[in-house]
Amino acid sequence: MSGRALVTGVTGFVGGRLADALTDAGWEVRGLVRDRSRARGLDYELHEGDVLRAETLRGAGEGIDVAYYLVHSMGRGGGGGFLERDRAAATAFAQMARAEGVERIVYLGGLGDRPESEHLRSRHETALALAEHGPPLTYFRAGMVVGARSESYRTLRYLVQRLPLMIAPAWLKNATQPIAIDDVLAYLVQAPSIEAREVQIGGPDVLSYGEMLDRMAAVLGLRARPRIPVPLITPWLSSLWIGLVTPVDAGVARPLVEGLAVPTVVTDPSGAALFDVAPIGFDEALRRALAEDG
């Protein structure tokens, strides 16, 4: 299947790769960008607009068959409150898509939706807003996406490379199910041709964050880093610590840590079974990311 696709976040980690993958699959791509000057060098049609300013979205969906929604605040923009911003942005985008005849929205959200994580709750409520106000929705739910530019991968790599010894909060023991960026893209590209509402996706390995740190060390050729148990450290303190020792901004690290503070694993594989994707393991995903990252 091919047609015309609108991709939000086309200058970002997932969006840029998705636009290339869709083009390779025969799709015509239009990118939605907030600032056209930041998108120089892209070979796609561009629409300049901000999902928080509904009037700027007019025309973005004209002639579009499927729209990919890859927008989330992730703690950026200062002072929290990103749940409300994400909900408002999703509503504006969905209303535009419905009004302009877009046939389907495809959204990449997160696994897990416990209320103690504002980040995970926001990702889920974004999906609810898209479904309520827009055309039919395919809602992908993934845990950590492993790729050279993902914030989660960068956090893992720099923690291992920069710290000979680590503190070990309780959340290091929680289970998660990471997935390689190439596999995420395979699901997203196939989405327009498959009738599915909610699709939980993950790689074949279910690991704790502590185990992922050890796997990262092994792939980097380093010894596993000893960890000092500090069970009572809060996600807020953990995010400050990550912000100090890695290039990841503390405002971004906090929702990442909050997401790790609850299990994020596939509980219903039936949706993913509809797709022709055989996800690779975590170690191979790391090797591919490291090869690209240099």
Side-chain angles (χ1 to χ4, degrees):
M1 180 178 178
S2 61
R4 301 193 73 198
L6 175 67
V7 179
T8 64
V10 75
T11 59
F13 164 58
V14 177
R17 292 167 184 257
L18 176 60
D20 290 341
L22 287 167
T23 300
D24 291 343
W27 287 79
E28 293 181 44
V29 172
R30 177 184 297 158
L32 177 65
V33 294
R34 282 190 298 175
D35 183 353
R36 190 182 297 269
S37 67
R38 294 182 58 196
R40 291 185 184 132
L42 294 182
D43 294 328
Y44 316 115
E45 177 188 353
L46 297 177
H47 179 99
E48 190 172 62
D50 186 338
V51 289
L52 287 171
R53 297 170 56 212
E55 70 279 5
T56 68
L57 299 178
R58 292 193 200 103
E62 290 181 358
I64 293 295
D65 300 302
V66 60
Y68 287 88
Y69 192 77
L70 307 172
V71 176
H72 54 87
S73 297
M74 280 291 289
R76 296 181 175 92
F82 60 87
L83 190 154
E84 291 77 16
R85 292 196 300 274
D86 282 349
R87 188 189 299 118
T91 298
F93 185 85
Q95 290 173 337
M96 174 278 294
R98 176 180 284 179
E100 297 187 359
V102 176
E103 297 177 6
R104 177 170 295 277
I105 292 177
V106 179
Y107 169 58
L108 178 61
L111 289 169
D113 53 5
R114 290 192 186 177
E116 56 263 38
S117 168
E118 185 184 14
H119 167 52
L120 294 178
R121 191 166 70 251
S122 176
R123 300 292 289 271
H124 187 59
E125 292 197 13
T126 291
L128 297 180
L130 291 170
E132 178 182 356
H133 298 285
L137 175 71
T138 298
Y139 173 24
F140 286 101
R141 307 186 69 173
M144 177 188 292
V145 177
V146 182
R149 289 177 55 203
S150 78
E151 302 285 15
S152 299
Y153 158 81
R154 293 174 70 229
T155 300
L156 266 180
R157 178 171 183 173
Y158 284 105
L159 283 175
V160 170
Q161 285 185 317
R162 296 185 176 185
L163 295 179
L165 182 71
M166 298 185 194
I167 59 173
W171 50 263
L172 283 186
K173 298 180 180 179
N174 286 331
T176 189
Q177 196 163 348
I179 183 170
I181 180 59
D182 290 343
D183 294 325
V184 172
L185 296 176
Y187 282 112
L188 292 173
V189 171
Q190 292 180 34
S193 61
I194 296 174
E195 290 292 329
R197 292 188 177 181
E198 182 175 316
V199 185
Q200 298 183 24
I201 58 175
D205 300 315
V206 177
L207 304 163
S208 70
Y209 200 79
E211 289 172 319
M212 287 191 289
L213 288 166
D214 292 343
R215 298 276 192 100
M216 173 62 87
V219 170
L220 287 168
L222 302 172
R223 63 179 178 83
R225 296 329 200 198
R227 293 190 286 271
I228 302 173
V230 188
L232 298 181
I233 188 171
T234 66
W236 180 75
L237 287 174
S238 295
S239 67
L240 292 180
W241 168 62
I242 289 172
L244 285 172
V245 300
T246 79
V248 177
D249 181 82
V252 175
R254 183 174 182 183
L256 287 176
V257 172
E258 287 178 345
L260 293 168
V262 298
T264 50
V265 299
V266 172
T267 58
D268 180 2
S270 61
L274 301 173
F275 294 76
D276 183 20
V277 181
I280 64 173
F282 181 66
D283 291 356
E284 177 60 22
L286 286 180
R287 282 191 285 268
R288 291 186 186 184
L290 286 167
E292 181 181 342
D293 205 17

